[in-house]
Amino acid sequence: NAGVTQTPKFQVLKTGQSMTLQCAQDMNHNSMYWYRQDPGMGLRLIYYSASEGTTDKGEVPNGYNVSRLNKREFSLRLESAAPSQTSVYFCASSELAAVNNEQFFGPGTRLTVL
Amino acid sequence: RKEVEQDPGPFNVPEGATVAFNCTYSNSASQSFFWYRQDCRKEPKLLMSVYSSGNEDGRFTAQLNRASQYISLLIRDSKLSDSATYLCVVNGHKLVFGAGTILRVKS
């Protein structure tokens, strides 16, 4: 099992460009999440999908959109990148969205917006 | 005030030392508590859940004090491989991550 995979690992964008971060899990989990991690701050939830066919905003959704393509895949789109979106992005999944469920993380995407 | 606060460290300790980290949270309705470990430039991984009665996993002991709203992690007999950032995670209606405490174990 690969667990949670993310592509790309690194990306440099210019302000105003768009891109999609891809995430896939092979653990048959129902719930998937997108976080960003900035220096000196905890991981912050951007969007999540409690189950296939549903998506909800997290703490910092502005400037992002998501698509739960199927049970395995959850993508994050930046429509018009801004320097404030320079960050490390982690995708995660859990069996359920229940409060005590362990979340499994992908290796992250390091994004720089110039 | 941050919802979850941790001392960022770094804690620099020799091998074999005992080290303790604390974490405070602001939401008294929080239900679940965890410690995650994050190695440099890697993804976070669950270290252990924290139960009301306290729990131990080998050299690691986690405690929860609901009255004072803090969680602790004790590491005994530190190893070089324990060097990492330890994230306190609290779950009320959503999962909230602390910024992490850096531990460096030196030989």
Side-chain angles (χ1 to χ4, degrees), chain B residues 11-49:
Chain B
F11 286 63
N12 295 301
V13 302
E15 273 186 292
T18 295
V19 61
F21 309 135
N22 286 332
C23 161
T24 57
Y25 61 95
S26 60
N27 182 358
S28 59
S30 298
Q31 301 171 38
S32 305
F33 309 88
F34 310 90
W35 284 101
Y36 276 70
R37 171 192 169 129
Q38 186 172 24
D39 293 308
C40 187
R41 301 181 72 78
K42 300 280 191 179
E43 71 272 22
K45 293 183 180 178
L46 180 67
L47 177 66
M48 58 197 303
S49 301

Side-chain angles (χ1 to χ4, degrees), chain A residues 16-36:
Chain A
Q17 287 185 316
S18 62
M19 78 162 295
T20 300
L21 280 63
Q22 306 286 355
C23 173
Q25 52 91 9
D26 62 2
M27 295 175 282
N28 201 35
H29 284 169
N30 290 293
S31 303
M32 298 185 73
Y33 313 82
W34 276 106
Y35 292 91
R36 61 177 289 172

